[in-house]
Amino acid sequence: MEKILIFGHKNPDTDSIMSALIMEDLEKKMGSNVLACKLGNVNKETEYALKYFNVNEPITIDNLEEGQEVILVDHNEFAQSANGIEKAKILKVVDHHRICGFETSEPLFYIANPFGCTATILYDMYLINNFEISSTIAGLMLSAIISDTLLLKSPTTTPKDENAAKALAKIANVNLEKYGLAMLKAGTDLSSYTPEQLLTLDAKHIEIKNLKTIIAQVNTVDINDVMKIKSDIEKAMNNTINSEGLDLFILAITDIINNNSQIITLGNSSHIAEKAFNVKLEDNTAFLKGVVSRKKQILPVLIENA
Amino acid sequence: MEKILIFGHKNPDTDSIMSALIMEDLEKKMGSNVLACKLGNVNKETEYALKYFNVNEPITIDNLEEGQEVILVDHNEFAQSANGIEKAKILKVVDHHRICGFETSEPLFYIANPFGCTATILYDMYLINNFEISSTIAGLMLSAIISDTLLLKSPTTTPKDENAAKALAKIANVNLEKYGLAMLKAGTDLSSYTPEQLLTLDAKHIEIKNLKTIIAQVNTVDINDVMKIKSDIEKAMNNTINSEGLDLFILAITDIINNNSQIITLGNSSHIAEKAFNVKLEDNTAFLKGVVSRKKQILPVLIENA
């Protein structure tokens, strides 16, 4: 029997990688023949977490064959999924995003919760099924929650995420604050990336009222560090705008210590960002005080103002 | 605070009505300010069940105001939902259908399971939350399961539905077979309906590869009884085809005793039905042996062959 493939979104973040591995463990406990995969390279934050808990990266897949059975975690939009997803058989989805650009021809298992992290939903699924959570799986869950909630400081954080993180830190036998900050800092080491790579580390491709848009995000401990190469970043952004026919490209450079973001915004529809965030772009950039969450503080206001 | 409205699909069947009432009970137990509603008249089967368990019909609503908070049960497709659903704020969905023509701008709670009935998913939610199921709520759940699974005989029936039905019959203090058959039979009394009304009792509006389609279904204990008024039914079907610009209109007349269906098929795309069911329509009609489930045995093969 061919294995059911489990994967998160393109340009995988820590939640997408960990949730695939966690779901693999959960499904195996249920007796399914599954394989965790990924749709792109892991970032340095994820690399740090996997190394810390001594877990191998999932394998990378690209195209799906027609009829391939799959389980999606941490995404549902086909635009963010594997190539060929339209022809795959989607058995399950576990996600914490809005539902959009997704459809099936048959009933399926779908669980979404407006929690800060997919791993928090998976944590619930272990409890409901009375499955034991190993210290390794707890470490992966915890890493995903820390990543998606910026150590429980993002406005996407719910009490569910907080409670899960505290319980999981105990099972994984780590200090939540200390491990969390070390993991987030590992992700801010951008030194080895070209501007092009930096833009694809965590990039969401979305259509906002027919406008082809990318919203990319990088975490840093010092916004100025990234802004030093602003002109190189802009060149790379413009290349992508031209090659992909984008209307809007926003890069959010997020300060994980002080919880603010600097955006660089390019494309013919960049006026939408000015309206949405009530700022004036100067030299294509603006400072967004208190903004750290793409899902909660960037995407909805863009949709509202498009 | 304005109430959150809970409702099933247009042309409500027993699962849509009962699941709205059950979800209302569940949400109240969670402390929410909710109101069960319906998007059309209840059919005779539902009427029988509500009377049996001494429960009032939910109120009927039509248009939703912008920003109205809602919970959808037993459907997700906007085409089957309340008018104005695009501008409503969908907080939760509990459903057992494929996902299609559905999107939100924000994360939500969504639970779907490929069970035979929405009420079976709700039954699980009571168990997970450790909520007591009253004998009345058990009666409503049981009625929904009997209706959607044709007394556990439809191929949509899962072990989950069976186990739930057996447990619920005990709590509701009824004989599953005896009550089930009486309830289904109550639904086959079509004597008071005009052909027009008969077509809207349980009609699903769907787009099958851009073809505007209605698949209606009526239950009977004798197919010939319904076929006596075939020409009147066809006249009413053709009127709907013209007024709504349909490409395909299928009426399935389902024999709930012997578990077969007779279809009447009209519209420019009726050849799709011949290909899908591998039958030759004679005088617009064909007998489909063993076919009782629109969701499992009619819709997927139509999509595949369109």
Side-chain angles (χ1 to χ4, degrees):
Chain A
M1 196 180 76
E2 215 185 336
K3 279 182 195 293
I4 300 161
L5 304 181
I6 307 174
F7 48 85
H9 53 73
K10 281 177 180 161
N11 303 312
D13 57 6
T14 300
D15 191 22
S16 264
I17 298 292
M18 301 317 191
S19 289
L21 291 165
I22 298 160
M23 190 71 180
E24 180 188 55
D25 179 71
L26 186 71
E27 285 291 322
K28 280 183 177 169
K29 283 181 160 51
M30 291 176 173
S32 303
N33 188 17
V34 292
L35 181 68
C37 309
K38 63 182 191 301
L39 304 183
N41 294 333
V42 300
N43 63 35
K44 289 199 180 158
E45 179 194 276
T46 312
E47 198 179 293
Y48 177 91
L50 287 172
K51 205 168 170 185
Y52 191 97
F53 292 104
N54 202 18
V55 174
N56 290 329
E57 286 183 18
I59 62 153
T60 304
I61 56 162
D62 184 18
N63 282 294
L64 298 175
E65 309 242 327
E66 182 161 351
Q68 170 70 49
E69 294 186 320
V70 300
I71 294 174
L72 310 188
V73 292
D74 195 33
H75 77 296
N76 67 81
E77 302 191 33
F78 285 1
Q80 299 166 6
S81 198
N83 300 326
I85 187 67
E86 297 82 3
K87 307 247 160 168
K89 187 168 164 56
I90 303 170
L91 300 181
K92 300 190 181 188
V93 178
V94 183
D95 190 24
H96 68 130
H97 296 90
R98 70 182 186 133
I99 298 175
C100 188
F102 176 85
E103 69 170 55
T104 62
S105 61
E106 289 195 50
L108 74 164
F109 173 84
Y110 196 113
I111 173 108
N113 254 310
F115 298 162
C117 179
T118 305
T120 306
I121 305 171
L122 292 169
Y123 173 72
D124 262 4
M125 288 169 72
Y126 276 76
L127 298 190
I128 288 167
N129 287 288
N130 261 320
F131 289 153
E132 200 198 336
I133 300 174
S134 68
S135 62
T136 303
I137 291 293
L140 302 188
M141 286 180 175
L142 179 65
S143 303
I145 297 173
I146 291 166
S147 172
D148 265 19
T149 65
L150 288 179
L151 199 33
L152 308 175
K153 279 184 201 129
S154 162
T156 55
T157 314
T158 67
K160 277 280 199 179
D161 301 298
E162 264 194 80
N163 293 338
K166 282 170 190 166
L168 289 165
K170 275 184 198 155
I171 304 173
N173 198 24
V174 296
N175 178 292
L176 175 58
E177 288 294 324
K178 209 177 134 196
Y179 170 74
L181 207 58
M183 189 199 84
L184 288 177
K185 275 191 178 162
T188 66
D189 172 15
L190 306 171
S191 56
S192 68
Y193 296 117
T194 64
E196 286 77 16
Q197 288 170 330
L198 204 132
L199 292 175
T200 60
L201 279 178
D202 180 12
K204 283 264 157 85
H205 294 64
I206 37 168
E207 294 228 343
I208 300 179
K209 293 193 185 143
N210 295 322
L211 299 175
K212 256 188 114 173
T213 304
I214 292 180
I215 309 175
Q217 189 167 27
V218 290
N219 289 345
T220 181
V221 287
D222 185 357
I223 287 172
N224 290 328
D225 243 21
V226 184
M227 290 298 277
K228 274 180 202 154
I229 56 161
K230 175 164 172 281
S231 61
D232 291 331
I233 291 175
E234 287 180 347
K235 204 184 285 174
M237 286 172 78
N238 278 322
N239 285 342
T240 308
I241 288 170
N242 292 330
S243 64
E244 299 196 16
L246 296 183
D247 299 290
L248 180 62
F249 195 152
I250 298 178
L251 170 68
I253 303 155
T254 300
D255 178 342
I256 59 161
I257 306 294
N258 303 299
N259 301 309
N260 303 305
S261 290
Q262 185 83 26
I263 52 167
I264 301 175
T265 301
L266 290 170
N268 287 331
S269 298
S270 54
H271 58 279
I272 292 168
E274 294 198 314
K275 199 177 148 207
F277 304 117
N278 195 22
V279 292
K280 183 102 197 84
L281 288 170
E282 279 178 44
D283 211 9
N284 309 319
T285 184
F287 182 72
L288 306 184
K289 200 175 157 48
V291 170
V292 295
S293 166
R294 173 169 52 197
K295 189 160 78 167
K296 206 104 174 179
Q297 297 171 298
I298 297 179
L299 190 53
V301 288
L302 283 174
I303 289 171
E304 215 167 276
N305 288 282
Chain B
M1 198 183 73
E2 214 185 336
K3 278 182 197 293
I4 300 161
L5 304 181
I6 305 174
F7 48 84
H9 54 74
K10 281 177 179 160
N11 304 311
D13 57 7
T14 300
D15 191 23
S16 265
I17 298 292
M18 301 318 191
S19 289
L21 291 164
I22 298 160
M23 191 70 181
E24 181 188 54
D25 179 70
L26 186 72
E27 285 290 323
K28 281 184 177 169
K29 283 181 161 51
M30 290 177 173
S32 302
N33 188 18
V34 292
L35 181 68
C37 308
K38 65 181 190 301
L39 304 183
N41 294 332
V42 301
N43 63 36
K44 289 200 178 154
E45 179 193 277
T46 314
E47 199 179 290
Y48 177 91
L50 287 171
K51 206 169 170 184
Y52 192 98
F53 292 104
N54 202 19
V55 174
N56 290 329
E57 285 182 20
I59 62 154
T60 304
I61 57 162
D62 185 16
N63 282 293
L64 298 175
E65 310 241 327
E66 184 162 348
Q68 170 69 50
E69 293 185 320
V70 300
I71 294 174
L72 311 188
V73 292
D74 194 32
H75 76 297
N76 67 82
E77 302 192 35
F78 285 1
Q80 299 165 7
S81 198
N83 300 325
I85 188 68
E86 296 82 3
K87 306 246 161 170
K89 187 170 163 54
I90 304 169
L91 300 180
K92 300 189 183 191
V93 178
V94 183
D95 190 23
H96 68 131
H97 296 91
R98 70 181 186 134
I99 298 176
C100 188
F102 176 85
E103 68 170 57
T104 62
S105 61
E106 290 193 50
L108 74 163
F109 173 83
Y110 195 114
I111 173 108
N113 254 311
F115 298 162
C117 179
T118 306
T120 306
I121 305 171
L122 292 168
Y123 172 72
D124 261 4
M125 288 168 73
Y126 276 76
L127 298 190
I128 287 166
N129 287 287
N130 261 320
F131 290 153
E132 201 198 333
I133 300 173
S134 69
S135 63
T136 303
I137 291 293
L140 302 188
M141 285 178 175
L142 179 66
S143 303
I145 296 172
I146 291 166
S147 172
D148 265 19
T149 65
L150 289 180
L151 199 32
L152 309 175
K153 279 184 202 130
S154 163
T156 56
T157 314
T158 68
K160 278 279 198 179
D161 302 298
E162 264 194 78
N163 293 338
K166 282 171 190 165
L168 290 165
K170 277 184 195 153
I171 304 173
N173 199 24
V174 297
N175 178 294
L176 174 58
E177 287 294 322
K178 208 176 134 194
Y179 170 73
L181 208 57
M183 189 199 84
L184 288 178
K185 275 193 179 162
T188 66
D189 172 15
L190 307 171
S191 57
S192 68
Y193 297 117
T194 64
E196 286 78 14
Q197 289 169 331
L198 204 133
L199 292 175
T200 61
L201 280 178
D202 180 12
K204 284 265 157 82
H205 294 63
I206 37 167
E207 294 227 344
I208 300 180
K209 295 196 183 140
N210 295 321
L211 299 176
K212 256 186 113 174
T213 304
I214 292 180
I215 308 174
Q217 188 166 27
V218 291
N219 289 345
T220 182
V221 288
D222 185 357
I223 287 172
N224 290 328
D225 243 20
V226 183
M227 291 297 278
K228 274 181 202 153
I229 56 161
K230 175 166 172 280
S231 63
D232 292 332
I233 290 173
E234 287 181 346
K235 204 184 284 174
M237 287 172 77
N238 277 321
N239 284 341
T240 308
I241 288 170
N242 291 329
S243 64
E244 299 195 17
L246 297 183
D247 299 289
L248 180 61
F249 194 152
I250 297 178
L251 170 67
I253 303 155
T254 300
D255 179 340
I256 60 161
I257 306 294
N258 303 300
N259 301 308
N260 303 306
S261 291
Q262 185 83 25
I263 53 167
I264 301 175
T265 302
L266 290 169
N268 287 331
S269 298
S270 54
H271 59 278
I272 292 167
E274 295 198 315
K275 198 177 150 209
F277 304 117
N278 194 21
V279 292
K280 182 102 198 85
L281 289 170
E282 278 178 45
D283 211 9
N284 309 319
T285 184
F287 182 74
L288 306 184
K289 198 171 160 53
V291 170
V292 295
S293 165
R294 174 169 51 199
K295 190 161 77 167
K296 207 102 172 178
Q297 297 171 298
I298 297 180
L299 190 52
V301 286
L302 283 174
I303 290 171
E304 216 167 276
N305 288 283

